[in-house]
Amino acid sequence: MYFVRSLIMLCIIYLPGFSSSVLAEDAPQQELSVNLQELITASLKAKQEILLKLEKSGGQAMIPAFEAMLEGDLYYRKADSIVVIASKGSNGNYSLVKALSGEALSDVAKKEIKKIRVNNALRIKLRTAIARLTLASDDPALRKKAVKNISNKLTDDSIELLKQAKSTETVQSIVTAIDSALALYALDSEDADARLQAINDISGDLSPAVRNKLNLIVEVDDEGEYAEADAGVRAAAVKALQRIESKIKVYKFLEQLFFGISLGSVLLLAATGLAITFGVMGVINMAHGEMIMLGAYTTYVIQQLLPNFVEYSIFLAIPAAFIVAGLVGVLIERGVIQFLHGRPLETLLATFGISLILQQTVRTIFSPLNRQVITPEWLSGSLEVNAVLSLTYNRLYIILFALLVFAFLQLILKKTSLGLHVRAVSQNRNMAKAIGIRSGRVDALTFGLGSGIAGVAGVALSQLTNVGPNLGQAYIIDSFMVTVFGGVGNLWGTFVGGFTLGIANKFLEPVTGAVLANILVLVFIILFIQKRPRGLFPQKGRAAES
């Protein structure tokens, strides 16, 4: 049987064209390997020719090797002269991957590898080669990045590359970026009409390179002479700068508004649970911040338990944080608060004591040091609208998340029996008892619901800041301000109050500083409460009015 299989294999191998086709397929890879190994012994001048051969035969597959060589990370292993990309690890050894295939190799000590030398001339060749290869990429994001990199250092060669790329480019945003780069280069032309046309072409471009170039045109030296001799070109540059500055002001306003809305969404999440418990039960819960802290630590624990599922752990952390914080809230209400109804000062002191206990418990279990929650890749980075406005994904998602939580809570309070009982108890507790509503059960569930929402707020905050025992303390005062300003027990008041205070704070900070901005907001709320003691949207009902 073995003889038969061997005979069949020999027949297949020696079929006409078989061996030649295999060799034809392996030849390009072998040529690349040979050319790459030539970099080890070749002179710096000869390496320029080798780079051209590698670019021609390897195409876009050579980009990682070229980038590593540019950054000084291209080495060869002394034992077998394999060209590798090396990165230093925390233990002092170097992690290796093959430069061509990307295959991982075993870690080695520094003495077992040697760097492939480069100089400035080679770096220029490498940047040009990387630009050529990236401009031909199928990925629009890579092509756009290549145009941006080329624009930072324009030369005659790079301009030719951009012109060739423009002739085949189909994505309009990339074409616009190429046009901007070509116009920037034309600003150094000796022809005044060409410079004037270039200014008109980039008059709406907000990139720093354009602004710097236009500022150089209108610059005056120490002797009072303009850098640009032509008055018409200078006037066009001034007009273009004014137009750009007016656009920048608009986008800076939008950026401040975005940060204000994102802060408002955090305040909304933090204050919503407090508004429920404060409005229904009249309890000043000083441990509310610790419910936020518990939610954040729940997120951290889940990431530690599921290290291979960090990208999706947050979807498990949201319900887990709600349950953990909600159960702790129910225990607090059943164990302490139910015995202190009608005694607000004692309730305040009791919940303050509980907050200290919870903080110390967390310090004992996790230590006093802050813990960092890993942000999933889909929450990292930012949405770049233009050169001066980018919206971070984590804040965008938190805004959407806060709105979803608010809508879900409204659904519970408006469409469920629990919501009906909560509204009845908040409006007139005695009448609710008289018609058979178990106010004690409603109090426990309400406190648990408010604490659970605070736990969910902790999940969101873990994506913005480090997790520590004092995390909740940073938001408890702001939560009370939002609740009182919006109207105790009114969710729509909390919604409006959260976003109003968040936006006001972010617009005041650049003018007054962060500390003074908080003080001014607090003073405003004090004055506002003097005028409207029950907030923007006062609670309705006989009990509320009394």
Side-chain angles (χ1 to χ4, degrees):
M1 196 66 170
Y2 175 80
F3 173 78
V4 173
R5 284 202 301 267
S6 301
L7 186 61
I8 292 171
M9 288 299 297
L10 285 171
C11 291
I12 292 173
I13 290 173
Y14 285 100
L15 281 173
F18 177 85
S19 56
S20 61
S21 64
V22 172
L23 290 174
E25 289 176 3
D26 291 344
Q29 194 70 15
Q30 290 175 357
E31 184 184 353
L32 276 177
S33 299
V34 171
N35 290 337
L36 198 60
Q37 284 192 315
E38 287 177 0
L39 290 173
I40 297 173
T41 56
S43 65
L44 289 171
K45 187 174 182 180
K47 284 178 182 177
Q48 297 185 21
E49 295 299 324
I50 296 172
L51 289 178
L52 290 175
K53 288 193 290 184
L54 287 169
E55 180 188 351
K56 184 177 180 180
S57 57
Q60 294 178 28
M62 295 307 304
I63 292 177
F66 284 178
E67 288 180 339
M69 192 174 179
L70 183 63
E71 297 297 327
D73 295 331
L74 196 67
Y75 290 75
Y76 68 91
R77 197 162 59 180
K78 294 179 181 178
D80 49 16
S81 296
I82 293 178
V83 180
V84 295
I85 298 172
S87 56
K88 190 175 182 180
S90 56
N91 59 357
N93 289 337
Y94 282 73
S95 301
L96 307 182
V97 297
K98 287 186 178 180
L100 281 180
S101 64
E103 177 188 346
L105 302 173
S106 56
D107 292 0
V108 298
K110 176 67 170 68
K111 63 182 179 180
E112 297 181 50
I113 55 176
K114 189 170 182 179
K115 185 181 291 188
I116 294 176
R117 292 175 57 222
V118 294
N119 59 7
N120 288 335
L122 267 176
R123 291 188 184 96
I124 293 171
K125 294 290 183 181
L126 283 167
R127 290 192 186 96
T128 305
I130 292 169
R132 275 196 296 264
L133 293 172
T134 313
L135 284 172
S137 170
D138 295 330
D139 186 355
L142 286 178
R143 299 201 301 274
K144 191 169 186 178
K145 183 180 178 181
V147 174
K148 186 176 180 180
N149 290 337
I150 292 172
S151 300
N152 293 332
K153 194 171 184 179
L154 294 170
T155 62
D156 291 340
D157 292 338
S158 61
I159 288 297
E160 286 303 316
L161 283 177
L162 291 176
K163 287 179 179 179
Q164 292 171 14
K166 182 182 176 181
S167 64
T168 57
E169 185 56 62
T170 57
V171 179
Q172 185 55 45
S173 61
I174 301 177
V175 173
T176 303
I178 293 174
D179 286 338
S180 178
L182 296 176
L184 272 176
Y185 189 72
L187 285 176
D188 293 326
S189 171
E190 295 181 358
D191 184 0
D193 291 336
R195 298 198 299 274
L196 188 60
Q197 182 60 46
I199 290 173
N200 291 331
D201 291 340
I202 60 174
S203 61
D205 196 314
L206 302 176
S207 64
V210 169
R211 280 180 281 157
N212 292 338
K213 196 71 173 178
L214 291 174
N215 280 319
L216 287 174
I217 291 175
V218 299
E219 193 177 56
V220 181
D221 61 20
D222 295 336
E223 297 178 359
E225 294 189 6
Y226 289 99
E228 170 59 52
D230 191 282
V233 174
R234 289 200 306 271
V238 169
K239 189 176 179 180
L241 279 171
Q242 290 173 347
R243 183 182 176 189
I244 290 171
E245 289 301 324
S246 63
K247 279 189 174 184
I248 288 174
K249 287 180 181 178
V250 172
Y251 285 117
K252 288 296 181 184
F253 173 83
L254 293 176
E255 185 180 50
Q256 287 294 106
L257 183 63
F258 169 72
F259 280 114
I261 292 173
S262 68
L263 175 60
S265 64
V266 171
L267 294 178
L268 174 63
L269 283 172
T272 298
L274 189 65
I276 295 171
T277 54
F278 196 11
V280 175
M281 305 170 63
V283 173
I284 303 174
N285 179 20
M286 295 301 294
H288 184 75
E290 279 54 54
M291 301 299 106
I292 297 174
M293 175 195 69
L294 288 177
Y297 270 103
T298 302
T299 309
Y300 169 74
V301 169
I302 286 177
Q303 284 196 352
Q304 298 305 304
L305 294 175
L306 303 171
N308 296 325
F309 297 93
V310 170
E311 289 295 309
Y312 312 102
S313 62
I314 194 168
F315 295 108
L316 182 59
I318 292 170
F322 181 85
I323 292 169
V324 169
L327 288 176
V328 172
V330 171
L331 288 175
I332 292 172
E333 199 282 330
R334 290 289 86 187
V336 178
I337 292 174
Q338 70 164 329
F339 305 110
L340 299 175
H341 278 305
R343 291 182 282 179
L345 182 59
E346 293 179 24
T347 305
L348 186 149
L349 292 174
T351 53
F352 179 69
I354 291 169
S355 75
L356 296 179
I357 292 171
L358 290 173
Q359 286 181 42
Q360 192 56 47
T361 302
V362 166
R363 288 191 181 95
T364 303
I365 297 173
F366 297 100
S367 87
L369 300 177
N370 287 343
R371 302 293 178 176
Q372 185 175 7
V373 173
I374 300 171
T375 302
E377 189 175 343
W378 55 275
L379 274 175
S380 305
S382 59
L383 173 65
E384 189 174 324
V385 180
N386 53 46
V388 295
L389 177 62
S390 59
L391 311 177
T392 54
Y393 286 124
N394 58 352
R395 292 183 179 275
L396 274 173
Y397 281 115
I398 285 174
I399 293 170
L400 295 175
F401 180 62
L403 295 176
L404 283 174
V405 170
F406 182 80
F408 178 71
L409 199 55
Q410 285 282 25
L411 195 65
I412 290 177
L413 294 178
K414 299 291 185 183
K415 301 296 182 181
T416 65
S417 58
L418 173 62
L420 180 63
H421 292 169
V422 167
R423 284 181 285 135
V425 172
S426 66
Q427 290 180 19
N428 194 322
R429 177 177 290 270
N430 293 328
M431 182 61 71
K433 285 182 180 180
I435 62 174
I437 295 176
R438 295 164 59 188
S439 61
R441 179 175 177 272
V442 171
D443 287 342
L445 291 176
T446 302
F447 206 89
L449 178 62
S451 299
I453 296 297
V456 170
V459 178
L461 283 172
S462 70
Q463 304 302 310
L464 297 177
T465 184
N466 288 329
V467 176
N470 298 320
L471 172 65
Q473 293 300 307
Y475 292 93
I476 184 66
I477 302 300
D478 289 335
S479 298
F480 273 110
M481 286 197 299
V482 170
T483 302
V484 173
F485 176 63
V488 176
N490 191 303
L491 286 185
W492 281 109
T494 305
F495 181 89
V496 174
F499 282 109
T500 301
L501 295 185
I503 292 170
N505 200 296
K506 284 300 176 183
F507 275 98
L508 284 172
E509 277 183 8
V511 180
T512 62
V515 176
L516 187 55
N518 287 329
I519 293 172
L520 290 175
V521 169
L522 180 59
V523 169
F524 165 74
I525 290 176
I526 292 171
L527 295 175
F528 180 82
I529 295 302
Q530 294 295 317
K531 197 73 175 175
R532 290 178 65 94
R534 293 167 58 204
L536 278 174
F537 300 94
Q539 194 176 19
K540 296 179 181 179
R542 293 181 181 177
E545 292 174 3
S546 61

